[in-house]
Amino acid sequence: MEAPKLDFLFYPRSVAVIGASNVPGKVGNAIMRSITLRYDGKVYAVNVKGGEIEVNGRKFPVYRSIKDVPDEVDVAVIAVPAKFVPDVIDECGEKGVKGAVVISAGFKEAGRAELEEELVRRARKWGIRVVGPNCLGVTNLENGFDCNFNPPERQARPPFGKVAFMSQSGAFGAAILDWAASHKIGMSKFISLGNMADLDESDFIAYLGEDEKTGVITGYIEGVKDGRKFFNVAKEVTLKKPIIILKAGRTEAGAKAAASHTGSLAGSYKIYEAAFEQTGVLSAKSMRQLFNYAKALAMQKPAKGNRVAIVTNGGGAGVMMSDGLLERGMKLAELSEETNERFRKDIEEGKLPHHMSYRNPIDVIGDAPSSRYEIAMRYALEDPNVDVLVVIALFQSPALDEGIVEAMERMQAYGKPIVFVAPGGAYPHKMARNIELKGVPVYETVEDGVDAVYALVKYGEWLRENGKL
């Protein structure tokens, strides 16, 4: 399918907030605050009451109708009672608006399918593309266009980065944005899908597949709108960039809850699992796993095989990582005789200690400085039997110096994916941020690191099967 042209939704030159309000706590006031914080396009306030609104130190005249706005408007953000929305859409059509983000609830999810159908009918008459209704809004972290109605002091916005996220649940989407911000995970675009009366998850996947600013597409869905469309779009886009989906409604009770939430048909989870497998979509089982996958694929190349080498200064952590990798279908790399010989020679010459183990997991032991780590990492990465390298660092050891940060940057020259695991508290957390600034993803637990390797291996398999790697 040809990707829909939706740049106007994320890069509008001008925006009208219909239902704008001067009353703190009202949705129309929160949207005005969000939009005017970083976005430098033109913003117009619309409310039948007229008057003036002051937000973020700026004053805005309030137009009684969008038709009174003395300029072209690309996008209308609509936050008025549901029964008025179809008429508002007609006014937007007369104004020449290209896209409408309908925040208002009270449509299909509330048993009023006919009102939602009327909204779509009117939008199609004017050629207006609709996000929602019953949604949180959209956010472009690149240019600051943000019509999310959760205020920044309650829900942080993440930095700009490569991960796009779409969500059928506004509340879950808000939690994801907050969580990504606290973990410094960069996002390109956020889309709250709502009821998907017009634009659905497949439309946005197709659009994001062509978006140069997005490297990884992620989403929370309860049910797809059109199974065949999703299948075809996903199969095409995963050959260009990874798609990771957290599918809710995996149980019968969950599926029933999804139907009353956004009016979506959840369908059998087994059908979704099969569809994900056949289209190369990675299926996540939790929010944490979704971002473990996404961070790895945003920062590292997919793996060309499933053979993993581990370098660690803690034997127990190496054993746990081995167990986790094998349980998820990966293999511990069998180091070549040449690599083993290099380790033996260095031990004999005193460059490496006699009591370290180099059989994989490569245990550089607790007194290892960064220079010992670097030797072990180089030998592992230079081994043709190694597809992925996992580095585990227990920074609680006083021997491990900050030279490990620059060493990790140098290791990327080998072109093989690397995952770093740094368990612990404040100091490991500080070191993790420094290593991530060099381009290597860092995880807090062994289990998170296993997720990361799995994503790199699984997506690499899909690309290889389709002749793309």
Side-chain angles (χ1 to χ4, degrees):
M1 136 178 179
E2 189 181 344
K5 305 284 189 285
L6 300 178
D7 275 351
F8 59 83
L9 273 174
F10 298 98
Y11 301 91
R13 293 164 300 174
S14 54
V15 183
V17 179
I18 304 176
S21 171
N22 220 356
V23 182
K26 289 264 192 180
V27 168
N29 180 263
I31 294 168
M32 284 294 293
R33 286 181 59 208
S34 293
I35 285 183
T36 55
L37 205 58
R38 282 187 53 233
Y39 171 66
D40 59 9
K42 295 174 182 175
V43 180
Y44 299 100
V46 177
N47 191 307
V48 289
K49 295 175 182 174
E52 187 179 75
I53 287 177
E54 184 173 352
V55 289
N56 295 330
R58 294 166 62 187
K59 290 183 178 179
F60 296 87
V62 180
Y63 299 95
R64 293 182 186 277
S65 164
I66 192 171
K67 293 194 287 184
D68 299 335
V69 173
D71 194 4
E72 290 182 2
V73 177
D74 285 339
V75 171
V77 183
I78 302 172
V80 300
K83 63 182 179 181
F84 300 123
V85 172
D87 289 343
V88 167
I89 290 288
D90 275 338
E91 292 187 355
C92 289
E94 289 176 46
K95 184 66 183 172
V97 169
K98 296 171 188 168
V101 181
V102 183
I103 307 294
S104 317
F107 293 88
K108 183 173 67 177
E109 84 289 352
R112 300 169 76 187
E114 73 291 337
L115 187 62
E116 192 163 308
E117 287 161 11
E118 181 64 14
L119 155 63
V120 173
R121 190 181 68 75
R122 303 233 195 148
R124 292 214 169 123
K125 180 176 79 173
W126 298 104
I128 296 172
R129 300 313 306 261
V130 176
V131 182
N134 182 32
C135 76
L136 186 66
V138 300
T139 303
N140 183 347
L141 281 309
E142 181 189 2
N143 66 357
F145 173 60
D146 179 9
C147 60
N148 184 324
F149 67 76
N150 287 329
E153 70 273 11
R154 298 220 176 187
Q155 182 224 286
R157 271 58 167 177
F160 174 55
K162 290 183 178 179
V163 180
F165 182 74
M166 55 184 183
S167 179
Q168 239 174 302
S169 161
F172 187 77
I176 283 278
L177 285 171
D178 221 7
W179 191 85
S182 69
H183 285 74
K184 303 287 189 294
I185 294 171
M187 280 194 171
S188 56
K189 294 172 176 69
F190 165 76
I191 305 127
S192 173
L193 295 166
N195 292 5
M196 303 189 292
D198 174 32
L199 289 167
D200 61 24
E201 79 295 316
S202 301
D203 294 313
F204 285 111
I205 287 172
Y207 170 75
L208 294 167
E210 299 293 325
D211 179 34
E212 290 180 4
K213 299 302 191 309
T214 296
V216 180
I217 301 166
T218 64
Y220 165 89
I221 64 166
E222 292 165 359
V224 300
K225 189 174 171 185
D226 179 335
R228 178 54 54 190
K229 180 180 173 186
F230 174 85
F231 189 93
N232 292 336
V233 169
K235 196 165 188 179
E236 192 176 311
V237 172
T238 50
L239 297 179
K240 293 183 277 191
K241 56 187 75 170
I243 300 173
I244 306 160
I245 299 289
L246 173 55
K247 167 74 175 73
R250 296 194 294 269
T251 63
E252 191 179 339
K256 284 178 182 172
S260 62
H261 177 212
T262 52
S264 68
L265 280 166
S268 164
Y269 183 60
K270 288 197 185 309
I271 294 171
Y272 279 92
E273 274 193 314
F276 293 160
E277 191 68 33
Q278 290 170 45
T279 55
V281 171
L282 284 169
S283 176
K285 296 292 193 292
S286 67
M287 179 169 93
R288 190 178 184 106
Q289 192 171 74
L290 180 102
F291 275 100
N292 286 342
Y293 289 176
K295 185 161 79 165
L297 287 162
M299 297 179 77
Q300 293 287 294
K301 293 175 181 175
K304 291 182 177 176
N306 66 351
R307 301 167 300 176
V308 186
I310 302 165
V311 175
T312 179
N313 64 347
V319 173
M320 287 173 63
M321 176 59 72
S322 302
D323 285 343
L325 292 172
L326 292 169
E327 284 166 359
R328 295 287 291 277
M330 285 154 289
K331 294 176 180 173
L332 288 186
E334 196 169 314
L335 301 180
S336 70
E337 189 47 44
E338 289 82 356
T339 301
N340 289 331
E341 184 54 38
R342 295 174 83 181
F343 276 115
R344 276 195 293 269
K345 187 165 178 284
D346 280 0
I347 289 170
E348 285 167 12
E349 292 176 0
K351 293 177 186 173
L352 293 172
H354 279 278
H355 50 297
M356 72 165 278
S357 166
Y358 56 87
R359 290 293 181 187
N360 194 25
I362 302 163
D363 187 354
V364 291
I365 63 175
D367 63 355
S370 63
S371 56
R372 193 186 302 166
Y373 259 98
E374 182 153 2
I375 292 170
M377 292 189 297
R378 282 195 187 280
Y379 290 176
L381 288 165
E382 287 168 6
D383 192 310
N385 295 340
V386 173
D387 300 308
V388 187
L389 175 65
V390 174
V391 181
I392 304 172
L394 300 169
F395 278 109
Q396 293 77 6
S397 166
L400 184 51
D401 56 282
E402 298 197 0
I404 192 73
V405 177
E406 280 68 38
M408 295 317 302
E409 185 174 28
R410 290 191 287 272
M411 291 309 103
Q412 294 190 88
Y414 289 101
K416 292 182 180 181
I418 302 170
V419 169
F420 200 103
V421 177
Y427 183 70
H429 190 74
K430 182 187 104 171
M431 294 301 292
R433 296 289 77 79
N434 293 338
I435 290 167
E436 286 196 335
L437 289 172
K438 302 297 184 184
V440 176
V442 184
Y443 295 87
E444 295 171 25
T445 69
V446 165
E447 293 78 14
D448 292 340
V450 170
D451 279 346
V453 177
Y454 175 83
L456 293 165
V457 169
K458 187 78 174 166
Y459 186 57
E461 280 176 5
W462 170 253
L463 293 180
R464 278 201 320 283
E465 285 168 12
N466 288 277
K468 296 291 183 179
L469 184 65

